[in-house]
Amino acid sequence: MHYGVVMFPTEYAIAPDELARALEERGFESVWFPEHTHIPASRQSPWPGGGELPRDYWSSYDPFVALMAAGVATKRLKLGTGICLVIERDPITMAKEVASLDRLSGGRMLFGIGGGWNAEEMENHGTDFKSRFRVLRERVLAMKEIWTKEEAAFHGEFVNFDPIWSHPKPVQKPHPPVLLGGESSHTLQRVVDFCDGWFPRGRAGDDTIVRGLADLRARAARAGRDMTTLSVSVFGAKPDPAVLERYAAAGVTRVLYGLPSAGRDTVLPLLDQYARLVR
């Protein structure tokens, strides 16, 4: 089982490059940066975490820029979006961003994605909340065409383009793994249908995750997909040895510990604590 961390990269937090070096020095596998392009000031959509929405949600750097800074500072650390809101991005531009990061990092990109929870935020980008997962599916499928075809074309309900040329292509073949966030049965089926991994949240509870993993295996078997090609990464895992042992026994691929968007004096001691737990 691999170990990584997730943190909102902000101007008031430890810098992405310093965090990445510290992680690689301590033997972690990966770093993950979330994204929100903005938060509408109306605050109509309730935060799934409950209570007041933390400032980090509207203060984070663009994840691809922050991950590139982390990639330049390291040699082995994998670079993950956790998660990228594909419903708020143009698929042709996004395909270029993913491929560029993967190539410039030597094939270390992990593409975590999700449908999002803030209806007003996605509506500012032209996506209706009710159609977000149909949009997500088409954009992922369109990006796969761009990553894998010399002349890519796509014609769907939300994405339409005639044959195009787009380079660079990703280093990883056929493309960086696409990991989908969420815990519902719909999420598990979408993972089997068009993704390469499942990205559940630790706060859903280890029972939910272990049951979901069994369900994912059953769905993969029915669809004729090799389960060994589908990863499971627990986002914001509880740093509890008993929980980690249960995840490892269930076949979880990696666990990601949450870090506050804070300075080095707060973050580095936490990394040391997590590193001791991993060992």
Side-chain angles (χ1 to χ4, degrees), residues 3-5 22-29 239 244 255 257 259 267-279:
Y3 297 86
V5 302
L23 288 167
E24 191 164 84
E25 289 167 0
R26 289 161 175 79
F28 286 90
E29 179 233 19
L244 298 180
V255 295
Y257 298 125
L259 290 174
V267 169
L268 294 182
L270 274 175
L271 290 187
D272 291 334
Q273 177 184 329
Y274 292 154
R276 287 193 294 271
L277 181 62
V278 170
R279 288 194 294 269

Side-chain angles (χ1 to χ4, degrees), residues 4-7 30-34 80-82 110 112 179 199 233 254 256:
V5 302
V6 56
M7 186 193 81
S30 53
V31 63
W32 301 74
F33 294 147
T81 52
L110 297 169
L179 318 178
F199 206 17
S233 306
R254 67 175 57 83
L256 311 177

Side-chain angles (χ1 to χ4, degrees), residues 8-263:
F8 274 104
T10 68
E11 62 185 298
Y12 49 82
I14 185 173
D17 57 338
E18 184 179 6
L19 173 62
R21 283 191 295 270
L23 288 167
E24 191 164 84
E25 289 167 0
R26 289 161 175 79
F28 286 90
E29 179 233 19
S30 53
V31 63
W32 301 74
F33 294 147
E35 83 162 331
H36 283 276
T37 59
H38 68 292
I39 294 295
S42 67
R43 291 300 302 113
Q44 293 179 35
S45 291
W47 178 42
E52 291 295 320
L53 184 70
R55 173 189 174 193
D56 310 345
Y57 278 74
W58 63 89
S59 303
S60 59
Y61 294 128
D62 178 275
F64 292 100
V65 176
L67 288 170
M68 191 67 255
V72 169
T74 55
K75 296 185 180 301
R76 301 178 305 279
L77 193 73
K78 293 189 176 182
L79 312 168
T81 52
I83 59 169
C84 176
L85 293 169
V86 301
I87 56 165
E88 298 180 2
R89 289 177 173 268
D90 175 83
I92 298 175
T93 302
M94 187 166 34
K96 173 82 76 173
E97 290 173 318
V98 171
S100 298
L101 177 57
D102 193 58
R103 183 153 291 278
L104 289 171
S105 68
R108 291 187 275 154
M109 169 69 180
L110 297 169
F111 193 34
I113 67 170
W117 56 269
N118 193 307
E120 298 76 50
E121 178 185 353
M122 63 187 74
E123 285 168 4
N124 289 165
H125 289 280
T127 296
D128 178 72
F129 186 78
K130 293 181 179 178
S131 64
R132 69 194 188 282
F133 283 108
R134 302 205 313 276
V135 171
L136 180 145
R137 175 184 175 275
E138 281 198 8
R139 290 184 181 175
V140 169
L141 294 177
M143 286 188 287
K144 287 185 176 184
E145 291 294 302
I146 295 170
W147 291 329
T148 60
K149 304 286 178 60
E150 186 60 35
E151 288 196 355
F154 193 91
H155 298 287
E157 180 183 2
F158 302 99
V159 181
N160 279 283
F161 54 86
D162 290 329
I164 64 172
W165 301 331
S166 179
H167 278 256
K169 302 298 184 186
V171 171
Q172 298 181 78
K173 301 302 178 187
H175 51 74
V178 180
L179 318 178
L180 180 62
E183 294 83 40
S184 71
S185 59
H186 297 295
T187 297
L188 295 173
Q189 191 58 49
R190 291 179 185 116
V191 169
V192 171
D193 290 345
F194 61 90
C195 296
D196 309 295
W198 181 36
F199 206 17
R201 294 166 295 182
R203 70 169 180 247
D206 49 317
D207 286 339
T208 297
I209 292 169
V210 171
R211 285 196 302 267
L213 182 47
D215 189 1
L216 181 63
R217 288 196 178 99
R219 290 172 186 270
R222 288 196 295 270
R225 286 204 64 174
D226 180 0
M227 188 62 199
T228 61
T229 67
L230 295 176
S231 65
V232 177
S233 306
V234 180
F235 180 96
K238 186 177 180 180
D240 181 330
V243 172
L244 298 180
E245 288 177 9
R246 190 175 184 194
Y247 285 159
V252 167
T253 309
R254 67 175 57 83
V255 295
L256 311 177
Y257 298 125
L259 290 174
S261 186

